[in-house]
Amino acid sequence: DRLELQNEIVRHLFDGRRFQTGQETLFAAPDPGRAPPAVLDIGCGPGTWARGVATEFPRTVVVAVDIEAEFATRRADDPANLQRVQCDVLSGLPFADATFDLVRQGCMVHAVGRARWPELMAELRRVTKPGGFVELVEPYWPTAPRGPATKTMVAMS
């Protein structure tokens, strides 16, 4: 489907990696003296990226959140280290401060709206551990706003 295809395109652009350069090392060889690394996938959609990370890094705790119940429901093929949670990120995340080593959000630029980005970024920082990463994967697809619907969409992003 479209969301799974987007995930594959992004992974291709990252040369087959699931993260931007260097972040895999945090998850590939976790320090045995500390808790397993934790990853949060915001707006997970069908969970393709989160399932891939959970499978590739089985000692990592992966939490996938989405506003849609369909995507927040556990599936039979989900790895044991993958949790799904339904929530609206714009209403706040149901996690304690400094919970995650990596917070990733992808392809949500048009779902958020320009005025809400500062608030959203503050929430993503809140749940990220000191020294952790916030990774935004947002495509830049220039559009020629010719019609009223496209003009409205571009103005909101």
Side-chain angles (χ1 to χ4, degrees), residues 11 16-19 24 27-29 48-60 62 79 81:
R11 189 162 182 199
R17 296 184 315 271
R18 297 203 184 274
F19 311 102
E24 291 96 338
F27 305 101
T48 307
W49 184 87
R51 269 195 322 273
V53 171
T55 300
E56 190 171 338
F57 304 105
R59 293 191 56 215
T60 299
V62 181
N81 59 325

Side-chain angles (χ1 to χ4, degrees), residues 104-132:
R104 179 196 189 263
Q105 176 182 290
C107 301
M108 287 188 51
V109 69
H110 294 299
V112 174
R114 186 175 294 177
R116 304 287 305 267
W117 276 96
E119 166 190 348
L120 176 61
M121 292 300 93
E123 184 65 358
L124 299 187
R125 281 191 308 269
R126 181 187 71 76
V127 299
T128 304
K129 291 179 181 176

